Amino acid sequence: MARILTKTQEQEIFKAIPSSFTIESVAFTASKIYPNQMTVEHSTYPVITINFSQDGIPGPIRDLVDGVPYHQSMMTIHVLSQNSDGLAGPVIARGIMQDIITAITTWTTPITGGTNIFNPESDIHPVQNLGTLVDGRSIFDYVISIDLYHT
């Protein structure tokens, strides 16, 4: 049992985050990247960045059958968007976030690698808008954090 997420677990989570969305009848495909892949020159939006904290602290939950403790990590997802196809950037970002939240609520059944959430209402933290300007452009940055539990 690893105290931190394994590379395999991270990759499975990365794949499980959706990247295709329909918002107000407009189809969008977002780039999914890790934060260290984001560059100032990035010009294609929307973008989803996925970051994992690797604290590996013992979680407050133990497996009921064998008593093995789960470890807790946090995933932070940023959705960066700009006005596009007649839709405002915040509308696009909120629509993408809602679809991501809907997908994550199914993770009460562990995804490959034994990673899951236990309670969508307490493990998925509110969406926040972090700002609107990136390099002089109107780029909207919405963020959500998720408590992950893994064995």
Side-chain angles (χ1 to χ4, degrees):
M1 174 173 42
R3 288 187 53 88
I4 63 174
L5 290 168
T6 65
K7 188 50 99 179
T8 300
Q9 287 171 318
E10 286 183 12
Q11 290 169 344
E12 291 301 318
I13 292 166
F14 193 88
K15 286 191 277 185
I17 302 289
S19 61
S20 296
F21 310 93
T22 301
I23 300 154
E24 295 186 16
S25 302
V26 179
F28 291 93
T29 300
S31 302
K32 285 194 299 187
I33 60 175
Y34 293 107
N36 64 343
Q37 296 173 303
M38 189 71 182
T39 63
V40 174
E41 301 85 35
H42 200 86
S43 60
T44 306
Y45 292 93
V47 175
I48 299 168
T49 66
I50 303 166
N51 187 45
F52 301 98
S53 75
Q54 292 295 359
D55 49 21
I57 61 172
I61 299 167
R62 290 187 167 277
D63 186 282
L64 293 176
V65 175
D66 59 16
V68 173
Y70 282 85
H71 288 90
Q72 181 178 352
S73 293
M74 181 166 289
M75 175 175 59
T76 305
I77 300 173
H78 287 257
V79 173
L80 295 109
S81 65
Q82 62 186 27
N83 299 342
S84 179
D85 294 314
L87 294 175
V91 171
I92 296 167
R94 282 193 303 268
I96 290 172
M97 277 295 186
Q98 187 55 56
D99 286 354
I100 290 172
I101 290 168
T102 299
I104 291 171
T105 60
T106 66
W107 294 3
T108 54
T109 301
I111 60 177
T112 304
T115 305
N116 61 295
I117 63 172
F118 285 101
N119 182 345
E121 291 184 18
S122 62
D123 292 339
I124 301 173
H125 304 283
V127 175
Q128 302 169 21
N129 180 11
L130 291 184
T132 58
L133 290 178
V134 174
D135 193 31
R137 298 175 287 168
S138 292
I139 307 298
F140 302 91
D141 182 3
Y142 282 67
V143 65
I144 185 171
S145 58
I146 298 98
D147 296 328
L148 296 175
Y149 298 92
H150 54 96
T151 55

